[in-house]
Amino acid sequence: MADHEVLTPDLAELKTHRSEKWRGFDSDVLPLPVAEMDFPIADSIRTVLQEMVTASDLGYLGSAPELSAGFAKFALERWNWSIDQSQVRIAADVGVAVVEVLRVFTNPGEKVLVNSPVYQNFFNWIDEAKLERVDVPFTLTGEETDNETPWQLDLDAVEKVYASGLKVHLLCSPHNPLGRIYSHEELTRIANMAKKYGVLVISDEIHAPLTFNPKSFIPFLTISETAREVGLTVTSASKGWNIAGLKCAIIVSQNDLINEKLKSLPMAVHFRASILGAFASAAAFADGNIWLDSVLRQLDHNRFMIRELLKVKLPSVNYHMPHNGYLAWLDLSSLNLGEDPSAKLLERGRVAFNAGHLYGAQCGQYVRLNFATSPSIISEAIDRIARTLE
């Protein structure tokens, strides 16, 4: 069965795709920036989409209890997390969910904490909600070639910001682009500080299904009763099962007071989501485990492959293998490619990555590489970097 061995189409077929990843560059460019996978979708998702299209079942999204039930099943099986399905809400995507939650819990001008380098749209969402961004960056405390996490968050510095009148901490967990998994101890301290200082923690857990053994992802709302009092989760099947274009996410709370506050979300937050996205997401969570495990095996192979390719072809490039996801965070400072290495690689190497400065001004020498593709494409990408230096 296809779900037991998910194979990437060849490059010629991928170039026929209509997504931004494949239409955003000239045809001779190898595109590895946008966070979507090149793998065929899971059989369970394909089946429900085909059934709905065949039946012309393409109306507005109404009630979809299958989605909360599917997520509850997945959360219990993967993370031993028992959720209250009545506190699961639908939104068009994680970005929409975050912005609308921010509008409910904040007033313009109030402070939101981020920890850079971080997914660049965090900055856009905060601006959209007319809030003030505060940054406590991660610090690089060890060699990136080590297998343990070299990027650390100064929680003492975080507490000082909490105490200064912070309203919300927008947490990227697991972390994009670092591929970092927060520990139980870190999340516990964040929850306790949030309660002490009256901070809401919005945990973006969209990458959570893509965690590699032996690491274990810990949902924020499973940490403690305190975490449930101060936090909520936004997530989606879109990253884990490669269905971002279907436009559906969920907002999860597990506290009566937060749930009551969320009732003031506009009705349109639900109805702007896609009916195809809602039922495809339900199928992904409920019946997509075989496909997900197959993809994780391929991604696990790919992350190690990148390390070996770099050792041989670009030994001065620093790369810490991510513990989650399919995004490699590469330090190219040794290659002397100017202020923006990604621009030089696009111009001279005809290979596209995300520029590091998008995630934090201090990371201008980094690029983010999407390795959710075939080994041959990854190998070609590393070759194109090397050829740029000739």
Side-chain angles (χ1 to χ4, degrees):
M1 293 176 62
D3 280 4
H4 287 275
E5 187 180 10
V6 180
L7 301 177
T8 311
D10 62 28
L11 185 57
E13 180 178 339
L14 290 170
K15 286 183 175 182
T16 69
H17 287 192
R18 297 173 175 86
S19 70
E20 169 64 15
K21 177 180 179 181
W22 292 99
R23 287 197 169 188
F25 301 93
D26 294 337
S27 61
D28 66 329
V29 171
L30 190 63
L32 297 174
V34 181
E36 64 185 61
M37 296 190 268
D38 289 340
F39 307 122
I41 60 172
D43 287 341
S44 61
I45 296 173
R46 181 179 293 105
T47 296
V48 72
L49 293 177
Q50 288 174 339
E51 288 175 351
M52 293 177 72
V53 171
T54 299
S56 298
D57 186 5
L58 302 174
Y60 292 109
L61 175 64
S63 174
E66 294 89 344
L67 178 50
S68 59
F71 181 72
K73 178 177 183 287
F74 181 80
L76 185 62
E77 292 174 351
R78 287 277 170 165
W79 306 313
N80 196 30
W81 179 16
S82 297
I83 68 167
D84 176 358
Q85 294 181 42
S86 71
Q87 293 195 44
V88 177
R89 290 171 168 82
I90 296 176
D93 58 34
V94 162
V96 169
V98 170
V99 170
E100 295 295 346
V101 168
L102 287 173
R103 287 173 173 158
V104 166
F105 285 89
T106 66
N107 297 308
E110 290 183 321
K111 297 177 181 178
V112 178
L113 176 65
V114 297
N115 309 112
S116 68
V118 72
Y119 177 47
Q120 68 270 31
N121 275 317
F122 273 32
F123 309 141
N124 298 330
W125 301 338
I126 292 168
D127 290 344
E128 186 176 345
K130 297 180 170 54
L131 300 168
E132 179 185 344
R133 184 203 321 163
V134 181
D135 187 8
V136 175
F138 282 89
T139 54
L140 187 59
T141 60
E143 291 293 328
E144 286 191 278
T145 52
D146 293 342
N147 195 36
E148 290 309 310
T149 303
W151 292 88
Q152 298 296 332
L153 185 59
D154 184 346
L155 291 177
D156 291 335
V158 169
E159 182 162 16
K160 290 179 181 178
V161 172
Y162 273 33
S164 71
L166 186 75
K167 195 69 174 180
V168 172
H169 187 173
L170 187 51
L171 192 69
C172 193
S173 175
H175 193 279
N176 169 14
L178 301 180
R180 186 184 190 280
I181 302 292
Y182 287 92
S183 70
H184 192 279
E185 292 74 20
E186 288 172 320
L187 295 173
T188 297
R189 184 170 177 192
I190 288 170
N192 291 340
M193 289 190 299
K195 182 170 183 178
K196 179 178 180 180
Y197 297 105
V199 172
L200 176 72
V201 178
I202 302 176
S203 186
D204 175 354
E205 299 180 359
I206 193 171
H207 291 272
L210 297 168
T211 300
F212 301 112
N213 290 328
K215 291 291 183 177
S216 296
F217 169 72
I218 306 171
F220 184 75
L221 297 181
T222 67
I223 288 294
S224 62
E225 187 58 40
T226 296
R228 291 183 282 278
E229 291 174 8
V230 301
L232 58 83
T233 293
V234 291
T235 191
S236 172
S238 63
K239 284 292 182 284
W241 286 270
N242 202 36
I243 53 174
L246 293 179
K247 305 307 274 184
C248 184
I250 54 176
I251 303 165
V252 184
S253 60
Q254 297 291 269
N255 173 267
D256 290 341
L257 292 177
I258 290 178
N259 185 47
E260 191 65 28
K261 187 83 170 176
L262 288 171
K263 290 180 181 178
S264 63
L265 285 166
M267 290 178 60
V269 172
H270 175 102
F271 294 115
R272 286 172 180 154
S274 157
I275 190 171
L276 292 178
F279 288 95
S281 297
F285 285 127
D287 301 308
N289 278 326
I290 293 174
W291 183 94
L292 179 64
D293 289 338
S294 177
V295 164
L296 279 167
R297 286 192 296 273
Q298 183 61 60
L299 294 178
D300 193 29
H301 171 272
N302 289 356
R303 67 178 179 140
F304 280 93
M305 176 185 172
I306 291 171
R307 185 182 68 178
E308 299 310 309
L309 287 171
L310 291 174
K311 281 182 181 178
V312 173
K313 299 180 179 182
L314 295 165
S316 67
V317 170
N318 288 320
Y319 162 61
H320 170 70
M321 280 196 303
H323 297 303
N324 170 275
Y326 50 80
L327 302 168
W329 188 236
L330 306 181
D331 178 3
L332 306 186
S333 55
S334 65
L335 302 185
N336 299 313
L337 293 173
E339 291 185 3
D340 183 358
S342 69
K344 190 64 64 70
L345 292 170
L346 178 59
E347 174 192 356
R348 294 175 54 184
R350 309 309 286 163
V351 58
F353 306 113
N354 289 115
H357 66 79
L358 298 174
Y359 306 88
Q362 75 276 30
C363 294
Q365 290 300 307
Y366 284 80
V367 297
R368 194 188 76 168
L369 180 160
N370 175 352
F371 60 84
T373 189
S374 67
S376 62
I377 288 177
I378 294 169
S379 182
E380 174 64 18
I382 302 301
D383 284 343
R384 291 192 187 198
I385 298 175
R387 289 200 295 269
T388 302
L389 307 177
E390 294 175 354

